[in-house]
Amino acid sequence: MDVYLEGKKLRVDPSRALGKGGEADVFDLGDGRVLKLFKPPEHPDYDAQPEQQAAARARLAEHQHKLPAFPRPLPPRVVSPQTLATDRRGKEVRGYAMRKLEGAEPLRRFGDPAFRRAGVPSSRVAAIFRELHRTLGALHGGGVVVGDFNDLNILVIGDDAWLIDADSFQFGPYLSTVFTERFLDPLRLGRQPQGLSPSRPASADSDWYAFSVALMQSLLGVGPYGGIHRPRASGLKATPTARVLQRLTVFHPDVQYPKPATPLGVLPDELLHRLHRVFVEDERGAFPLPLLDALRFTVCASCGVEHARASCPTCRPSATRTATPVTTVRGQVVATRLFTTEGVLLHACVEDGTARWLFHERGAYRREDGSVVLQGPLNPALHWALQGGSTLVGQGAEFAVLEPGRPPERLGVDAPEQRPAFATNARHRYWAQGGALWRDGTFGPERLGEVLEGQTRLFVGPRFGLGFHRAGALRGAFVFDAERPGLKDGLTLPWPSGRLVDAEAVFEGAVCWLFLAEETGGRTVHHCVVLGADGVMRASATAEAGDGSWLGTLRGKCAAGEALFAATDSGLVRVEVRQGRVEVVREFPDTEPFVDADSRLLLTRQGLVVVGRHEVTALRMT
């Protein structure tokens, strides 16, 4: 498909892809702008999906009239269309050019407890939402409704929040037809909704409802319908749809609050009351800006909890932190504390059966023996890997190897979506750069094979590694031997067609468990794909994010032989591949006090090790 911008034909280069959504692909134009190119019905992401193909056809038809009529000017923190991209004759709109935002993070990351722990204080979240409040109010004042207000359509730079995907905004005769379930106002569902699909148009009120969802998620790490419904009486567990219709929010006593989330009580009563009125009592209207202006967060000197109340909600001001016992027994589980920190644990891995970890305490990043590897405050933009006594840290298009007594070794690296593509096992480090996959060798870097420049995500285990890319209409995956050069590409995977928002992988022997999080059809879906070292898919599974199952979260998993252990708020779960299906074969409820959905698991010589926010604990099941 030919695309013209300002009368010039564009060559759409997949290596310059910046992102992929359910409706469009985004490419860097190299001049401070990006191109958003709408997917045509014949796009590979819509293969064998006639409903999606019809929707793409209808969307393109509307854009022929909507984009030329786009309202101007819009508030300064809105990334709006600048120049339309068309066919050769300039008649058919195929996309548009807009400003490129450098170094931006999606607001979604601010709702991730691990990201927040890595150095994002609540005071920064409050500042971001104060600015976002002003932008949203200005849009409404100009007769524009966002419609699909969600935490992937908002990018953050510093304390500034930018609204993107403006082509889906609602104005004049053009209604917003897209939505994201977690942010969908229940009052738009009508009296007899069929699932969570709106039957009423978006409005300023529904935007402010979504604003409240994003604020709660970003401050606490949980939205109004997070947690798990566990009826105390002899009743049935409500479905996600039923929870919304019945307003069974995290404020309800029958909903188990997620363990990794920040306690509700850290917020002031006035803000909690407002959230309760919105999510439980269906109050609407603009969010009161004074509630944001009045937020003042402090860190309790006794327990380290960050809160916005007159006194710490979790302890007395004179209390001292209580150490947990070294060994705890519950039922058939013996838990032994191996390590504890007043700071925060950031990264962990296992090498040849030995657990290694990285934590931040007293203004420095430290290894498991307490040695300092890097001085400085917490920085959520840093990415880590551990290899023996070496510590690898990456940011943007560079990573450094930090070793005791030696100057840092710095290397350039591709950084798809700002995530530096490097990984390690006990013997080697691997990285993607300049269209090739590299490995350290005896006499310098060794080239293993060709990859798609700037787009390859990389994972590696003791015996083999896995890489993949999704850029524009291109999709590809490969495996490689950890010791020998060469790639086996052309793998067949059940590729998600929506926006890929996260990925993780764990390895054991000749098996890789690949986990993908996809935003599609207004909801977040998690995929598990089990691959062999030969690249053959053995099994796959899907689940909705946050459903309480072993696949409701992406991380917190480790492989053991042909099985997988997964951490949930209810304890450990063991799953196995049986006849091409991934099935739960055993649950360990006695482990519930020692793990949660945010825990990291390591299989060591001593058994299973749980890495939490402040402690490393060994579990023994008798």
Side-chain angles (χ1 to χ4, degrees):
M1 180 178 67
D2 292 338
V3 179
Y4 288 76
L5 190 67
E6 297 164 334
K8 297 180 180 179
K9 185 176 180 179
L10 291 179
R11 177 180 175 269
V12 179
D13 185 355
S15 70
R16 300 189 69 88
L18 292 178
K20 173 184 286 289
E23 300 179 355
D25 296 315
V26 180
F27 301 88
D28 189 352
L29 291 174
D31 60 0
R33 297 181 300 170
V34 299
L35 172 69
K36 183 170 184 176
L37 194 60
F38 300 120
K39 296 179 184 177
E42 60 273 13
H43 194 284
D45 286 351
Y46 300 146
D47 284 349
Q49 300 182 68
E51 290 186 4
Q52 294 289 343
Q53 293 169 354
R57 194 172 293 109
R59 200 160 43 239
L60 281 170
E62 182 181 66
H63 283 321
Q64 306 310 308
H65 309 284
K66 181 179 182 179
L67 289 182
F70 207 80
R72 288 180 173 79
L74 291 179
R77 293 291 184 267
V78 176
V79 181
S80 53
Q82 294 178 339
T83 308
L84 298 183
T86 67
D87 62 357
R88 183 175 60 84
R89 298 176 301 163
K91 300 293 185 181
E92 180 184 339
V93 175
R94 292 180 172 173
Y96 60 88
M98 57 184 170
R99 173 181 175 175
K100 181 184 179 182
L101 299 178
E102 298 282 359
E105 291 279 5
L107 184 64
R108 184 190 189 101
R109 294 205 70 194
F110 289 76
D112 177 1
F115 181 73
R116 291 289 311 279
R117 289 196 303 273
V120 182
S122 295
S123 56
R124 182 184 172 196
V125 175
I128 289 168
F129 275 86
R130 282 193 286 269
E131 290 303 313
L132 184 57
H133 187 287
R134 295 181 175 91
T135 297
L136 187 57
L139 274 174
H140 292 163
V144 177
V145 170
V146 175
D148 187 25
F149 185 107
N150 69 75
D151 54 9
L152 283 174
N153 287 351
I154 299 166
L155 299 182
V156 177
I157 304 176
D159 291 346
D160 294 331
W162 296 76
L163 285 164
I164 63 171
D165 290 347
D167 53 272
S168 66
F169 284 3
Q170 179 172 294
F171 61 89
Y174 303 104
L175 298 181
S176 178
T177 59
V178 292
F179 65 94
T180 303
E181 280 192 3
R182 287 185 297 121
F183 297 86
L184 178 61
D185 185 351
L187 297 184
R188 293 183 60 194
L189 297 176
R191 294 186 178 180
Q192 294 181 331
Q194 299 298 318
L196 295 181
S197 182
S199 60
R200 297 175 181 175
S203 65
D205 277 352
S206 65
D207 276 357
W208 286 118
Y209 173 88
F211 178 94
S212 299
V213 174
L215 176 65
M216 181 179 182
Q217 180 75 47
S218 300
L219 285 174
L220 300 176
V222 62
Y225 293 99
I228 304 299
H229 181 232
R230 300 190 187 281
R232 298 180 183 180
S234 56
L236 295 176
K237 177 181 174 181
T239 65
T241 298
R243 282 190 62 185
V244 174
L245 298 180
Q246 299 172 38
R247 308 299 192 266
L248 295 175
T249 71
V250 291
F251 296 102
H252 196 281
D254 285 353
V255 174
Q256 178 183 322
Y257 196 75
K259 289 183 183 180
T262 301
L264 289 166
V266 305
L267 299 182
D269 288 340
E270 296 81 0
L271 179 53
L272 287 174
H273 291 161
R274 171 65 188 186
L275 296 175
H276 188 278
R277 290 195 299 272
V278 170
F279 300 131
V280 179
E281 303 170 23
D282 287 342
E283 182 174 304
R284 295 294 182 268
F287 190 92
L289 184 58
L291 291 181
L292 294 174
D293 290 336
L295 276 177
R296 296 292 184 272
F297 286 90
T298 187
V299 177
C300 176
S302 298
C303 68
V305 168
E306 187 182 31
H307 65 90
R309 303 182 73 92
S311 61
C312 179
T314 62
C315 70
R316 300 185 306 277
S318 60
T320 57
R321 185 167 181 169
T322 302
T324 57
V326 173
T327 301
T328 305
V329 179
R330 182 185 178 181
Q332 296 182 330
V333 175
V334 178
T336 303
R337 177 164 45 88
L338 305 178
F339 173 83
T340 184
T341 174
E342 294 181 356
V344 58
L345 283 151
L346 298 170
H347 184 79
C349 70
V350 61
E351 288 183 345
D352 296 330
T354 300
R356 307 188 187 281
W357 57 83
L358 176 88
F359 66 103
H360 188 275
E361 187 179 85
R362 301 192 306 276
Y365 293 91
R366 304 169 186 268
R367 287 293 298 268
E368 59 273 4
D369 60 358
S371 61
V372 174
V373 296
L374 185 67
Q375 295 278 0
L378 282 166
N379 181 354
L382 300 181
H383 299 263
W384 301 91
L386 308 179
Q387 183 189 47
S390 300
T391 304
L392 282 68
V393 55
Q395 182 175 8
E398 181 182 69
F399 76 97
V401 182
L402 311 177
E403 296 184 358
R406 299 180 60 179
E409 177 187 0
R410 300 183 183 276
L411 297 122
V413 64
D414 289 346
E417 298 188 15
Q418 300 185 64
R419 296 175 181 268
F422 68 97
T424 66
N425 60 20
R427 292 177 55 83
H428 297 287
R429 55 181 183 262
Y430 308 79
W431 67 98
Q433 200 268 331
L437 177 63
W438 302 87
R439 183 188 66 201
D440 62 329
T442 304
F443 304 105
E446 299 175 352
R447 184 185 177 105
L448 301 185
E450 294 184 359
V451 299
L452 183 59
E453 183 176 357
Q455 302 298 325
T456 300
R457 298 198 185 210
L458 188 62
F459 307 94
V460 68
R463 290 179 51 182
F464 74 104
L466 167 72
F468 71 85
H469 65 258
R470 292 178 74 235
L474 297 181
R475 299 177 291 183
F478 59 88
V479 290
F480 59 95
D481 188 277
E483 297 295 331
R484 297 190 295 270
L487 310 178
K488 180 180 180 180
D489 56 14
L491 305 190
T492 301
L493 297 181
W495 286 109
S497 60
R499 178 174 180 176
L500 186 66
V501 294
D502 204 356
E504 186 57 86
V506 296
F507 294 81
E508 169 66 11
V511 177
C512 169
W513 300 72
L514 173 65
F515 301 95
L516 306 172
E518 172 200 19
E519 192 80 12
T520 180
R523 62 181 59 183
T524 304
V525 178
H526 288 172
H527 301 259
C528 170
V529 183
V530 187
L531 297 165
D534 55 3
V536 176
M537 187 179 74
R538 300 185 178 185
S540 64
T542 60
E544 287 206 29
D547 66 357
S549 73
W550 69 274
L551 195 47
T553 57
L554 226 60
R555 290 172 173 80
K557 299 169 179 61
C558 74
E562 296 289 313
L564 184 83
F565 284 97
T568 76
D569 279 3
S570 301
L572 292 178
V573 173
R574 178 185 172 105
V575 298
E576 296 180 2
V577 174
R578 293 187 172 180
Q579 297 180 338
R581 296 170 56 88
V582 183
E583 298 179 352
V584 174
V585 297
R586 188 176 176 186
E587 298 178 352
F588 301 88
D590 287 343
T591 63
E592 184 270 336
F594 313 113
V595 302
D596 61 44
D598 197 37
S599 300
R600 283 156 286 186
L601 301 181
L602 307 174
L603 187 64
T604 71
R605 293 193 189 98
Q606 290 74 36
L608 204 59
V609 169
V610 179
V611 182
R613 289 171 284 284
H614 305 290
E615 295 184 347
V616 179
T617 305
L619 297 185
R620 179 167 57 88
M621 273 84 83
T622 60

